[in-house]
Amino acid sequence: MSVEEQIRDIVSRIAHIDKSIITRESTFKEMKADSLDVVQALVAVEEAFDIEIPDEEAQKFQNFGDFVSYVESQTAKKDEA
Amino acid sequence: MSFEGKLALVTGSGRGIGRATALKLASLGCDIIVNYFRRRETAESTAKDIQALGVRAEVIKANVGDPAKIDAMFDTIANKFGYLDIFVSNAASGVGRPIMDVDVKAWDWTMDINAKAFLLCVQRAAKLMEGRAGTVVSISSLGSRFVWPTYAAVGVSKAALEALTRYLAIEMIPKGIRVNAVSASAVNTEALQFYIREGYVKDSKQTTPTGRMVTPEDVANVVAFLCSDEAFMIRGQTIIVDGGTSVAPFVPGGQEQA
Ligand SMILES: NC(=O)c1ccc[n+]([C@@H]2O[C@H](COP(=O)([O-])OP(=O)(O)OC[C@H]3O[C@@H](n4cnc5c(N)ncnc54)[C@H](OP(=O)(O)O)[C@@H]3O)[C@@H](O)[C@H]2O)c1
């Protein structure tokens, strides 16, 4: 499963929304994710990929695609190390 | 008061009241385990400040809302130290919403971190305190007994925390463990910023008879006292640190102090 698919699974499970409607352009608001959903998704993704996502970075995510790109960049960094 | 040679775990001690408590205990000679949730750098910088006081500091990440993470944290403490003298249940989270908007997820999140974690942590901590006259302090808030706007979920979780503190205080007597709580009114930490932004907390200088807001250090001082031998006969109490606010709802704040 790609990073994107794994994150889509996590977000859909936490925010109780259908996976098929989450695109890279979807905003958290469109996904009806409230601030608790966002925190829980961040925690779940941090655990799944064994990375850290500082709040300052998370606040910059405009949409689902930004979230995925950030995680991809962190996992790539980890693989290099 | 000295805690030399003792070891304390303070949950959520990277910042705020937890940090002040960790530093206070460290200044009295206590080694400290700094637990954090998501802010590693903040926790590490607190650990450095603790080490600068000449005691040992270990940093452990654990979401206390997750029982498996609590177990992992105590496994680490058991392996690295094999004992514990002081446990301060300080970490808290919550969802500031009117009651009609508190859904199952918000309720569980708040209860898991603020109340259930206390039970699970004390069960593990008690084993590490065997034969060491341990002390436990939980950090509560006045919202457990007074109604604050959008604070229902957190207030109820704090009421559970205080009730559990009383039950534990009695059931832990045979183990030689003392258990109490410290409850504060508004304290100027990051947690309060939400309530200030939403306009729920006004200038506490004006609402506190003592004329100033409670500081994290005010709370830390009482925690340290409760952990000391001097507090031996205090059991299951919730000590309120609020500059007089709760006993004087009709007294204007900001009185001159000698
Ligand atoms: N501020 C007030 O007005 C006030 C008044 C009365 C009582 N209190 C109580 O005092 C305590 C400390 O509050 P504060 O104002 O210092 O809070 P704060 O500044 O918001 O800090 C919260 C702390 O708890 C940690 N934390 C949050 N969720 C956690 C989790 N799931 N697992 C582990 N740690 C977690 C945080 O870790 P990270 O740094 O890693 O995020 C942080 O260290 C709380 O019990 C609070 O209810 C506060």
Side-chain angles (χ1 to χ4, degrees):
Chain A
M1 232 199 304
S2 70
V3 167
E4 179 167 343
E5 283 168 60
Q6 288 184 65
I7 300 179
R8 185 173 282 114
D9 269 0
I10 290 171
V11 170
S12 100
R13 175 170 51 80
I14 287 171
H16 299 292
I17 46 168
D18 199 293
K19 258 192 281 192
S20 61
I21 61 165
I22 307 176
T23 69
R24 287 186 83 103
E25 286 71 43
S26 308
T27 63
F28 289 110
K29 206 171 165 193
E30 282 161 5
M31 293 186 280
K32 297 210 167 30
D34 60 28
S35 60
L36 180 55
D37 291 326
V38 173
V39 174
Q40 290 187 336
L42 287 171
V43 171
V45 168
E46 283 180 336
E47 274 175 25
F49 296 95
D50 193 22
I51 55 167
E52 286 183 0
I53 310 171
D55 283 337
E56 306 85 71
E57 293 299 329
Q59 274 153 15
K60 291 184 207 154
F61 303 161
Q62 304 276 350
N63 53 33
F64 180 72
D66 291 347
F67 190 4
V68 172
S69 302
Y70 181 80
V71 176
E72 282 169 345
S73 72
Q74 293 307 107
T75 49
K77 246 193 237 164
K78 241 182 73 186
D79 290 343
E80 275 166 33
Chain B
M1 223 187 280
S2 166
F3 297 112
E4 227 153 284
K6 295 198 171 186
L7 175 66
L9 164 64
V10 183
T11 60
S13 48
R15 55 195 169 101
I17 294 168
R19 174 188 150 88
T21 302
L23 285 168
K24 175 72 189 182
L25 295 173
S27 74
L28 296 165
C30 199
D31 294 328
I32 307 286
I33 295 157
V34 177
N35 156 254
Y36 76 101
F37 179 26
R38 296 191 52 244
R39 300 216 194 154
R40 182 170 49 82
E41 280 177 14
T42 314
E44 279 170 357
S45 110
T46 294
K48 280 213 185 78
D49 295 343
I50 291 168
Q51 282 156 355
L53 295 167
V55 296
R56 201 171 158 188
E58 289 279 338
V59 175
I60 304 181
K61 175 186 170 110
N63 169 11
V64 300
D66 180 344
K69 300 291 184 316
I70 291 179
D71 271 333
M73 171 168 68
F74 278 96
D75 288 346
T76 305
I77 299 171
N79 292 334
K80 267 205 175 136
F81 296 89
Y83 63 90
L84 187 68
D85 300 287
I86 294 170
F87 170 59
V88 182
S89 186
N90 165 79
S93 185
V95 181
R97 289 185 196 165
I99 288 180
M100 292 302 278
D101 297 334
V102 177
D103 55 15
V104 171
K105 196 156 44 163
W107 178 265
D108 286 347
W109 172 265
T110 309
M111 284 296 182
D112 284 354
I113 296 173
N114 298 2
K116 194 206 275 176
F118 183 45
L119 170 73
L120 300 179
C121 285
V122 173
Q123 287 172 341
R124 287 295 308 258
K127 297 202 175 102
L128 291 172
M129 289 177 175
E130 244 162 63
R132 299 184 70 90
T135 52
V136 171
V137 178
S138 60
I139 307 298
S140 189
S141 82
L142 280 190
S144 70
R145 55 183 91 184
F146 299 109
V147 172
W148 290 345
T150 75
Y151 200 76
V154 181
V156 172
S157 74
K158 293 298 191 185
L161 184 77
E162 290 175 19
L164 190 53
T165 298
R166 290 189 281 274
Y167 276 93
L168 283 168
I170 301 309
E171 287 200 21
M172 291 291 136
I173 288 173
K175 293 187 185 300
I177 297 171
R178 296 188 283 114
V179 188
N180 288 290
V182 175
S183 173
S185 54
V187 183
N188 204 356
T189 67
E190 217 175 290
L192 198 71
Q193 299 316 307
F194 168 81
Y195 296 94
I196 292 174
R197 264 198 317 273
E198 300 286 318
Y200 297 136
V201 173
K202 308 246 161 49
D203 186 357
S204 282
K205 275 193 198 120
Q206 249 110 73
T207 52
T208 307
T210 326
R212 71 163 173 84
M213 205 179 227
V214 178
T215 64
E217 289 72 26
D218 291 325
V219 180
N221 288 339
V222 180
V223 175
F225 168 67
L226 288 174
C227 294
S228 74
D229 294 341
E230 282 89 334
F232 186 81
M233 288 302 275
I234 304 180
R235 307 286 174 122
Q237 296 303 313
T238 297
I239 310 294
I240 293 178
V241 180
D242 70 351
T245 303
S246 61
V247 293
F250 307 113
V251 172
Q255 296 190 73
E256 287 291 324
Q257 286 178 66

